[in-house]
């Protein structure tokens, strides 16, 4: 099950890396972008859930109980603060601050779930944070304070959602998706007041209808199989790869610091995942020796 969790969260983390490039490619204003992105994500979630329900009775609940409501609320607020941060601070500051969600998740899991991180996970987190510091070392402080605070709030809200999901041990994939109904309503009201402008809407359609449903469904299910800090670390893939996609698409070449820091992050994440797989096999082997079939 641990390997399944690693594969699931890795897919979600990789998919999430193209979120910011797609938002930039759409070239639109804050509220219309949030409205289209959120609205299409809700529609996609409801369609997938309805089709799944037609062919199977073993379909997860859209919002599983009170924990589902809490998780949905946290993801809804995280979506609002994330889009706000995209438009109000530098990309470097945004991805740096979002990287703190692994630290927040470790702290919240330790406090509320009594899940003390394994030494290897703690070491991996600090190494990855060092990599992030290298990536944006020359850029920190160039963003807007309000945008930085939105990014920090987004990181904390995502970590909180991961922690609640972990505590409930329920399937929260659809709760994370229908959660964006709240940002959709808010942004629709604001768009009606400020006006609609999206120059290349097909990019945000791709983002809202496919990329976000896949990314958040996978990442929201990760806590069923992995600890909070482990799931949060896969969000760091965006820190590494989003600048690469921006380089390829917009010809904004990454700095030497970005390449060095990104390499540290990728190597650490792969090494930690391989270590977890190896440790899991050793634990299963030890359990079989103690309790042979």
């Amino acid at each position: 099950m641990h390997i399944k969790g690693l594969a699931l969260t890795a897919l979600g983390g990789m998919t999430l890396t193209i979120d910011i490039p797609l938002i930039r490619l759409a070239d639109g204003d804050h509220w219309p972008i949030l409205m289209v992105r959120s609205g299409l994500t809700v529609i996609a979630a409801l369609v997938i859930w309805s089709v799944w329900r037609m062919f199977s009775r073993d379909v997860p609940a859209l919002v599983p109980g009170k924990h589902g409501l809490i998780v949905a609320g946290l993801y809804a607020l995280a979506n609002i603060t994330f889009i706000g941060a995209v438009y109000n601070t530098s990309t470097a500051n945004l991805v740096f601050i979002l990287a703190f969600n692994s630290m927040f998740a470790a702290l919240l899991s330790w406090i509320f779930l009594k899940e003390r991180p394994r030494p290897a996970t703690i070491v991996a987190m600090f190494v990855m944070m060092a990599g992030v510091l290298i990536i944006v070392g020359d850029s920190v402080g160039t963003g807007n304070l309000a945008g930085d605070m939105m990014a920090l709030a987004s990181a904390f809200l995502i970590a909180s959602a991961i922690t609640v999901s972990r505590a409930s041990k329920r399937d929260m994939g659809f709760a994370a998706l229908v959660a964006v109904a709240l940002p959709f309503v808010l942004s629709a009201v604001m768009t009606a007041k400020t006006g609609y402008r999206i120059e290349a809407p097909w990019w945000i359609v791709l983002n809202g209808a496919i990329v976000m449903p896949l990314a958040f469904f996978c990442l929201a299910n990760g806590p069923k199989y992995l600890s909070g800090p482990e799931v949060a670390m896969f969000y760091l893939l965006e820190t590494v790869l989003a600048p690469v996609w921006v380089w390829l698409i917009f010809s904004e070449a990454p700095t030497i610091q970005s390449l060095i820091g990104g390499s540290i992050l990728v190597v650490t994440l792969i090494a930690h995942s391989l270590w977890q797989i190896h440790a899991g096999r050793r634990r299963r082997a030890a359990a079989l020796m103690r309790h042979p079939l």
Side-chain angles (χ1 to χ4, degrees):
M1 296 298 282
H2 195 273
I3 295 176
K4 178 180 179 180
L6 289 172
L8 197 65
T9 48
L11 175 60
M14 283 296 298
T15 305
L16 192 63
T17 65
I18 62 173
D19 181 26
I20 293 176
L22 288 176
I23 291 173
R24 288 190 56 179
L25 281 167
D27 188 18
D29 294 331
H30 176 177
W31 293 113
I33 288 288
L34 180 58
M35 179 184 70
V36 175
R37 180 177 180 264
S38 302
L40 287 172
T41 299
V42 172
I43 292 171
L46 294 177
V47 169
I48 294 169
W49 185 80
S50 300
V51 172
W52 191 345
R53 193 177 183 187
M54 288 172 58
F55 292 96
S56 174
R57 293 183 178 180
D58 190 26
V59 58
L62 279 175
V63 181
K66 64 179 182 179
H67 287 101
L69 285 172
I70 295 171
V71 169
L74 290 168
Y75 275 118
L77 294 173
N79 267 275
I80 294 171
T81 53
F82 173 78
I83 294 294
V86 169
Y87 282 88
N88 289 282
T89 193
S90 66
T91 299
N93 280 28
L94 173 57
V95 295
F96 168 68
I97 295 169
L98 286 178
F100 275 102
N101 94 17
S102 61
M103 291 294 189
F104 286 142
L107 183 62
L108 292 171
S109 294
W110 196 345
I111 294 173
F112 294 105
L113 306 183
K114 309 305 178 186
E115 291 183 349
R116 184 185 180 92
R118 293 189 179 95
T121 299
I122 294 175
V123 171
M125 283 166 38
F126 277 104
V127 173
M128 293 175 85
M129 287 304 302
V132 174
L133 284 170
I134 292 172
I135 290 174
V136 297
D138 293 335
S139 301
V140 174
T142 62
N144 179 282
L145 180 59
D148 289 348
M149 291 300 100
M150 289 180 192
L152 188 65
S154 186
F156 182 78
L157 289 164
I158 290 172
S160 300
I162 290 171
T163 305
V164 176
S165 299
R166 178 71 175 170
S168 72
K169 302 186 185 301
R170 300 287 298 276
D171 188 325
M172 294 292 179
F174 285 108
L177 298 179
V178 299
V180 295
L182 175 60
F184 169 72
V185 172
L186 173 62
S187 57
V189 172
M190 295 304 298
T191 299
K193 294 180 179 180
T194 61
Y196 177 91
R197 187 189 74 85
I198 301 179
E199 299 298 332
W202 47 88
W203 294 116
I204 206 66
V205 168
L206 173 63
N207 193 3
I210 298 175
V211 171
M212 296 312 298
L214 177 60
F216 275 96
F217 184 85
C218 292
L219 289 166
N221 273 315
K224 286 175 60 181
Y225 312 105
L226 306 176
S227 68
E230 288 177 293
V231 174
M233 282 198 299
F234 281 92
Y235 280 87
L236 291 178
L237 286 171
E238 185 173 25
T239 305
V240 183
L241 294 177
V244 175
W245 307 147
V246 169
W247 172 34
L248 294 175
I249 297 168
F250 301 102
S251 299
E252 295 179 10
T255 63
I256 296 298
Q257 291 94 325
S258 294
L259 294 174
I260 294 172
S263 298
I264 290 173
L265 285 169
V266 171
V267 170
T268 303
L269 187 57
I270 292 173
H272 181 266
S273 298
L274 292 175
W275 179 87
Q276 290 283 35
I277 292 171
H278 177 67
R281 288 173 177 170
R282 290 184 60 184
R283 286 193 296 271
R284 287 192 294 272
L288 285 174
M289 291 182 65
R290 289 194 301 268
H291 306 286
L293 296 177

